Amino acid sequence: MKSLSTQALKTKVSIFSRRLTTSLAVVENPSLNSVPHEENFAPFDPFRFFNYHKLSGRYTIRNTQILHAYLLKTNVLQSNIFSTNSLLDWYCKSAAISFALKLFDTIADPNVISWNTMVSGYNQNLMFQKSWEIFCRMHLLGFEPNEITYGSVLSACSALQASVLGKLVYSLAIKNGFLSNGYVRAGMIDLFAKNCSLKEALRVFFDVSCDNVVCWNAIISGAVGNGQNWFALKLFREMCSASLMPNNFTFSSILTACGTLEELEIGKVVQGWVIKCSSGDVFVDTAIVNLYAKCGHVTEAAKRFSQMSVQNVVSWTAIISAFVQKGDSNSALKFFKDMRKVGETMNNYTVTSVLTACAKPDMIEEAGQIHSLILKLGFCLDATIGAALVNMYSKIGEVGLSELAFREIKHMKHLGIWAAMMSSFAQNKNSERAIELFQLMFGESLRPDKYCTSSVFSIIGCINLGRQIHCYALKTGLVSDVSVGSSLFTMYSKCGSLEESYQVFEQIVDKDNVAWASMISGFSEHGCADQAIHLFREMLNEELIPEDMTLTATLTACSALRLLRTGKEVHGYALRLGIGENTFVDSALVTMYSKCGTLELARRVFNTIPQKDAIACSSLVSGYAQNGYVEEALLIFHDMLMTNCIIDSFTISSILGAAALLNASSLGTQLHAYIQKLGLDSDVSVGSSLLTMYSKFGSIEDCCKAFSQIGKPDLIGWTAMIVSYAQHGKGAEALAAYELMKKKGIKPDAVTFVGILLACSHNGLVEEAFLYLNSMRKDYGIEPGYRHYACIVDVLGRSGRLREAESFINNMPIEPDTLIWATLLAACKVHGDIDLGRLAARKVEELGLCDAGAFVSLSNICADVGQWEEVLKIRSLMKGTGMKKEPGWSFVKVQSCNDW
């Protein structure tokens, strides 16, 4: 009877085993298709069973639950702690952590392995807080942790960025005798390197002499993670000197360091060692691909990728990213399609790389397809991918789609998404929406981070609003960040407050190249070129190596001050740095040499530029035109047209100036037609140049037409129109244009007031002229210059109030120059005042006027009143000193341009 019962039990076990294996086969786990010793009904051995199936690595909830049921039915769990712990591990690895906890709570007497399985299980499922809690529970119940426990809980503390908790755990480990344990020390090194400082990690590393590869790997990885790649290589050499054999983890970290440093030769040496060791590790092979990609050898990176025996999602992502960094979006998308064909699952990094590849204006179709795939696969819920989507549409130029993507995901309170949307508005010059979004963040209980704050600073044009956000940056401590600080002082600079801009710049502790370049550009662009050059010298004293942006800004300052020698020094410095072949620097050099009048050097630099851009061409055209070489300017412009070079507004403005110098109205008409064809007639700089050209041609009607075509006239456009009215004797129209300009909210500058005072002078508006002169200082804080005072002298002189003019000159806050005395001399000639004219002529002579104009004017005054003896005396004096009056001259048309 007993033998029959035994036989029946064996039969039932056999049937259940068949059911078990059948069920597991359904869920595609062929390694579980048979249970050992089924045929001869040997007793169930849990140790052999779990080890036999461990190699499959296919842990699913269903498989685990079936196995759980079988173990319950056979009463193995109650009697065998190894089976319970193994089943616990299966639940953790199949991401069924709640089932694992329920099973763990049923264990009557859990051992340290049971606790370790739960701690590491929570870590595997990224539930680091739960990992810490289960460790605390273990400690409270009096269980003694081992090195595995300490290592696992230190990993959880590192992920939680809880360095204080990590220190407590490490102290407990040391107390319990684990000071020299490599696994525990490696966990603490990793914690410090990721959350505190590399210095703290090194202190732990050097506490005890170490011959453990795991510790060396942890400190090398920590150095790489903290950007100390050269130090990582130094540690690697020390490790090898200590006769320790590096493993795949070591190779991966070192190859990453070589890639970041773009040290291909060192990387090749490490690669040779990898080949010698016959690594075949997918992460090491991926690091080799990444090395070649970051060193610019993308073809070699693709070759290494194709030779990989195993290609996982990390390696696929690495080669896709390599082509994205090179700017080859088509190849990146091709590899992505191949990845999809072989059935490799993509991750968040893959998706963000592909989105970056599609962030080009001509790839809107591909962008839409990738977006659809993201929605289909459910990646849209990830905040990083959401931010990449917003950024992609922004760079394509589809701000509407960018905002639509943002609205779909903005309920996720992730600062990266908001920062991406704010950056999108900033890049597309939509200041209103950027500021509105910044304000909306506070309503959503979000605190803008450094990326949001720097984006909004970059778009602000109102200094009062900028100061308010400055207060927020001070309150939150963001102002100490170099990117926020740079955006802040650039904002003040754009708003014309250079003093506040420089104050913020000085408060930045760790200034990078961008900060220096931005401040130098701010000084250069706002008429403080001498301070820009001083700041450049200060930067060199800090032993910082300037980049092309800094050199370009410094050369612009040299151009403004006409400092040829300093410009040559900067040129030599750029050549020594190897930046001499940079297009932007070359264009700035052409401009600098042109403005300094050294056109030969300007042309020599221009000829060395391999791909001449519009800036370089425009600079040379402008240089020739401004120095009187009008024909050469026109020939350069003709060459630009023949080579299909991009013609921008600056080029057009320069060539219009050349046409004005030639007084060639037919050429001006042709240029106007060409401008309309390009659609540049509404551009404010082109419109202003057209206006000035027609003014020199004497056509005030065409001036008005050109002004009316400007889309949104700025200060330069309005000033050009006011000056044109003034020069043509239309004082009332000039003053009316000035009042209209003020109504538009545009503040006048010193040049505008020259036009206003000129209009008053030509129309005899003496009292009005004094009112405007006083308004300069009182209303706008502009100190009058020589040209403004000369206009006042002229308006008094034209009105015959010569003694008032003399008194005005004597009471000026600045010493009068030759222009002011020459203006008075001209008025004396008109009104025949010999005595005052003689005084004015003597002052002009004393101040060193180079030509004979003052003596001729005085001679003419004497002739007008019949004092011929004085005329003869002056003429004799001129002959005795060798002075000659140059005859008048004018340009003639040297070339027909009808074939342009």
Side-chain angles (χ1 to χ4, degrees):
M1 187 69 180
K2 184 178 180 180
S3 61
L4 289 175
S5 300
T6 304
Q7 184 65 34
L9 178 60
K10 289 181 179 179
T11 304
K12 288 180 180 180
V13 170
S14 177
I15 294 170
F16 180 81
S17 297
R18 293 191 196 99
R19 288 177 181 172
L20 173 63
T21 55
T22 304
S23 300
L24 295 178
V26 170
V27 292
E28 301 179 350
N29 196 345
S31 63
L32 295 174
N33 279 348
S34 61
V35 178
H37 315 296
E38 179 185 325
E39 292 180 0
N40 58 3
F41 302 103
F44 178 71
D45 185 343
F47 183 79
R48 293 184 62 187
F49 176 83
F50 280 106
N51 279 344
Y52 179 77
H53 295 296
K54 187 177 181 180
L55 297 174
S56 71
R58 296 187 178 183
Y59 304 99
T60 66
I61 296 176
R62 186 177 180 186
N63 289 359
T64 311
Q65 286 177 327
I66 292 172
L67 181 60
H68 191 176
Y70 173 68
L71 294 175
L72 284 172
K73 191 173 184 71
T74 55
N75 294 320
V76 171
L77 287 180
Q78 288 81 358
S79 59
N80 191 296
I81 188 64
F82 171 80
S83 299
T84 308
N85 288 339
S86 299
L87 185 61
L88 196 64
D89 184 52
W90 276 42
Y91 272 124
C92 291
K93 288 178 178 175
S94 60
I97 197 72
S98 59
F99 290 102
L101 183 60
K102 288 178 181 179
L103 175 62
F104 177 79
D105 289 337
T106 64
I107 302 175
D109 189 20
N111 60 12
V112 69
I113 298 174
S114 310
W115 290 100
N116 288 349
T117 303
M118 287 304 301
V119 173
S120 61
Y122 279 122
N123 282 353
Q124 291 165 15
N125 289 273
L126 309 182
M127 300 171 71
F128 303 109
Q129 183 62 39
K130 292 291 183 183
S131 179
W132 169 255
E133 290 172 5
I134 203 78
F135 171 75
C136 293
R137 180 179 163 189
M138 174 186 183
H139 182 64
L140 286 172
L141 292 174
F143 286 92
E144 287 294 333
N146 61 12
E147 67 271 14
I148 305 298
T149 322
Y150 288 124
S152 297
V153 79
L154 283 171
S155 296
C157 292
S158 177
L160 291 170
Q161 298 182 353
S163 55
V164 175
L165 298 181
K167 289 177 181 178
L168 292 173
V169 173
Y170 189 55
S171 300
L172 183 63
I174 294 173
K175 180 183 176 183
N176 291 333
F178 290 97
L179 174 63
S180 59
N181 185 273
Y183 187 62
V184 176
R185 290 179 62 215
M188 198 61 202
I189 291 168
D190 182 66
L191 170 68
F192 276 139
K194 288 179 178 176
N195 298 291
C196 292
S197 67
L198 185 61
K199 185 178 179 181
E200 291 287 332
L202 285 166
R203 187 177 60 79
V204 174
F205 177 74
F206 288 117
D207 271 348
V208 180
S209 59
C210 183
D211 58 356
N212 189 299
V213 176
V214 177
C215 289
W216 282 93
N217 286 345
I219 195 64
I220 290 171
S221 174
V224 173
N226 281 274
Q228 301 294 324
N229 296 291
W230 283 115
F231 185 64
L233 293 178
K234 178 178 178 292
L235 287 170
F236 177 64
R237 284 193 292 270
E238 290 179 7
M239 175 183 175
C240 297
S241 300
S243 301
L244 290 171
M245 185 65 187
N247 59 18
N248 290 334
F249 193 90
T250 323
F251 289 136
S252 179
S253 296
I254 290 302
L255 287 166
T256 300
C258 293
T260 305
L261 294 170
E262 297 184 12
E263 284 290 338
L264 184 59
E265 295 307 314
I266 299 176
K268 284 182 176 180
V269 173
V270 178
Q271 182 190 358
W273 199 346
V274 170
I275 294 170
K276 183 179 178 181
C277 294
S278 301
S279 169
D281 182 79
V282 65
F283 293 103
V284 175
D285 291 342
T286 301
I288 292 171
V289 171
N290 193 49
L291 166 72
Y292 282 105
K294 287 191 174 178
C295 292
H297 298 265
V298 184
T299 305
E300 185 66 23
K303 178 182 176 183
R304 298 294 170 184
F305 174 78
S306 63
Q307 293 173 350
M308 290 177 66
S309 56
V310 178
Q311 296 162 343
N312 64 1
V313 62
V314 179
S315 52
W316 279 101
T317 303
I319 192 62
I320 291 169
S321 299
F323 282 107
V324 172
Q325 290 169 9
K326 190 185 177 185
D328 189 352
S329 297
N330 292 326
S331 297
L333 291 176
K334 178 186 177 298
F335 271 92
F336 178 66
K337 290 175 183 176
D338 292 342
M339 176 184 177
R340 298 277 297 156
K341 284 179 183 176
V342 299
E344 184 65 59
T345 304
M346 58 185 182
N347 61 18
N348 294 350
Y349 299 103
T350 320
V351 176
T352 51
S353 296
V354 175
L355 287 172
T356 306
C358 294
K360 291 185 177 181
D362 57 344
M363 302 194 76
I364 182 67
E365 184 178 346
E366 289 84 350
Q369 292 173 356
I370 298 297
H371 192 174
S372 300
L373 181 63
I374 289 169
L375 291 171
K376 181 181 178 182
L377 298 178
F379 279 102
C380 58
L381 297 176
D382 183 83
T384 308
I385 291 174
L389 266 174
V390 171
N391 187 54
M392 175 190 70
Y393 283 125
S394 172
K395 290 188 175 179
I396 289 174
E398 296 289 340
V399 189
L401 291 175
S402 185
E403 196 168 0
L404 182 63
F406 172 74
R407 282 200 299 266
E408 289 177 352
I409 53 180
K410 76 172 184 180
H411 65 278
M412 297 174 59
K413 294 191 176 183
H414 190 278
L415 285 172
I417 299 172
W418 290 79
M421 191 66 243
M422 203 165 295
S423 175
S424 174
F425 285 134
Q427 289 169 13
N428 290 276
K429 309 298 179 186
N430 194 335
S431 57
E432 291 182 5
R433 293 289 291 121
I435 294 166
E436 181 184 331
L437 195 65
F438 187 81
Q439 294 170 333
L440 183 61
M441 291 184 73
F442 293 98
E444 295 286 335
S445 300
L446 289 170
R447 294 179 61 178
D449 61 359
K450 61 182 180 180
Y451 302 107
C452 300
T453 309
S454 57
S455 291
V456 79
F457 274 137
S458 70
I459 204 72
I460 288 176
C462 172
I463 195 167
N464 290 329
L465 178 60
R467 284 174 179 150
Q468 291 177 42
I469 301 178
H470 185 181
C471 292
Y472 169 77
L474 284 169
K475 184 179 178 181
T476 55
L478 290 172
V479 74
S480 60
D481 180 81
V482 66
S483 62
V484 175
S486 298
S487 300
L488 176 59
F489 73 69
T490 303
M491 181 274 296
Y492 279 124
S493 178
K494 284 193 303 183
C495 293
S497 182
L498 281 178
E499 185 178 347
E500 289 179 279
S501 177
Y502 188 59
Q503 285 175 359
V504 175
F505 173 77
E506 285 188 312
Q507 290 169 3
I508 300 175
V509 180
D510 296 319
K511 303 178 186 71
D512 60 4
N513 266 295
V514 176
W516 285 95
S518 300
M519 193 66 246
I520 292 170
S521 298
F523 279 134
S524 181
E525 292 168 6
H526 289 82
C528 299
D530 53 342
Q531 289 177 269
I533 293 171
H534 174 76
L535 200 62
F536 175 70
R537 291 191 176 119
E538 189 180 323
M539 178 183 179
L540 296 182
N541 290 335
E542 295 285 337
E543 298 184 355
L544 291 169
I545 299 174
E547 296 177 348
D548 53 346
M549 183 180 169
T550 314
L551 293 174
T552 302
T554 308
L555 287 168
T556 303
C558 294
S559 302
L561 295 173
R562 307 292 194 271
L563 294 178
L564 179 61
R565 181 177 176 180
T566 307
K568 284 183 175 180
E569 290 173 354
V570 176
H571 187 182
Y573 187 71
L575 290 171
R576 195 169 67 192
L577 288 176
I579 309 178
E581 297 180 357
N582 183 283
T583 304
F584 292 107
V585 176
D586 286 337
S587 299
L589 282 167
V590 172
T591 304
M592 185 272 297
Y593 284 127
S594 298
K595 288 196 175 182
C596 291
T598 316
L599 294 171
E600 183 182 349
L601 288 176
R603 188 59 184 262
R604 193 182 299 175
V605 173
F606 179 80
N607 291 336
T608 61
I609 302 175
Q611 293 184 335
K612 299 172 178 63
D613 63 354
I615 299 173
C617 294
S618 301
S619 299
L620 196 59
V621 168
S622 177
Y624 277 129
Q626 290 172 5
N627 287 278
Y629 298 94
V630 181
E631 185 176 353
E632 285 83 351
L634 294 172
L635 288 173
I636 292 288
F637 181 68
H638 184 264
D639 290 342
M640 290 177 71
L641 293 175
M642 293 298 99
T643 56
N644 294 320
C645 184
I646 298 173
I647 307 295
D648 63 3
S649 57
F650 184 73
T651 314
I652 291 292
S653 299
S654 300
I655 206 65
L656 285 171
L661 286 173
L662 273 179
N663 199 20
S665 57
S666 60
L667 174 60
T669 304
Q670 292 177 53
L671 286 170
H672 195 171
Y674 181 66
I675 289 166
Q676 287 181 318
K677 181 180 177 182
L678 292 177
L680 291 174
D681 50 338
S682 62
D683 182 90
V684 65
S685 61
V686 174
S688 301
S689 300
L690 268 174
L691 194 157
T692 304
M693 180 190 73
Y694 281 126
S695 178
K696 289 185 178 180
F697 291 166
S699 176
I700 192 65
E701 292 80 10
D702 287 328
C703 286
C704 295
K705 287 179 182 177
F707 182 77
S708 64
Q709 290 173 347
I710 300 174
K712 191 176 180 181
D714 62 358
L715 175 62
I716 296 172
W718 281 101
T719 301
M721 191 68 243
I722 290 168
V723 172
S724 297
Y725 275 133
Q727 289 173 342
H728 289 80
K730 295 184 176 293
E733 289 83 349
L735 297 180
Y738 172 67
E739 294 300 327
L740 185 58
M741 181 189 83
K742 288 199 300 181
K743 286 182 180 179
K744 296 285 185 182
I746 299 175
K747 293 182 180 180
D749 64 358
V751 181
T752 314
F753 277 106
V754 170
I756 293 298
L757 294 174
L758 195 64
C760 294
S761 174
H762 287 187
N763 290 270
L765 304 173
V766 180
E767 281 70 26
E768 288 83 351
F770 276 99
L771 286 173
Y772 286 119
L773 184 70
N774 293 330
S775 174
M776 287 179 63
R777 187 184 293 109
K778 180 182 177 182
D779 299 330
Y780 301 104
I782 303 171
E783 288 297 325
Y786 289 109
R787 293 191 66 188
H788 303 105
Y789 289 124
C791 288
I792 297 295
V793 173
D794 187 52
V795 72
L796 289 170
R798 286 173 184 262
S799 302
R801 297 157 68 168
L802 298 178
R803 296 303 164 182
E804 286 185 49
E806 181 189 9
S807 176
F808 177 79
I809 293 172
N810 292 330
N811 291 296
M812 280 168 47
I814 57 176
E815 287 295 322
D817 66 348
T818 54
L819 173 63
I820 292 171
W821 286 113
T823 304
L824 180 60
L825 179 58
C828 291
K829 178 182 180 300
V830 172
H831 296 285
D833 192 329
I834 300 174
D835 295 334
L836 190 56
R838 188 177 286 114
L839 171 67
R842 188 172 68 250
K843 290 291 185 180
V844 170
E845 182 185 2
E846 288 174 358
L847 290 168
L849 187 65
C850 297
D851 61 28
F855 289 94
V856 172
S857 296
L858 183 59
S859 172
N860 290 340
I861 294 173
C862 295
D864 288 341
V865 296
Q867 294 188 5
W868 299 108
E869 291 181 5
E870 285 292 328
V871 172
L872 290 172
K873 190 185 293 184
I874 294 169
R875 296 289 180 178
S876 298
L877 179 62
M878 290 177 65
K879 287 181 181 179
T881 56
M883 291 184 186
K884 288 185 180 181
K885 174 72 171 71
E886 292 292 336
W889 60 279
S890 64
F891 284 111
V892 294
K893 193 172 181 180
V894 295
Q895 176 182 348
S896 173
C897 299
N898 292 330
D899 57 337
W900 285 16

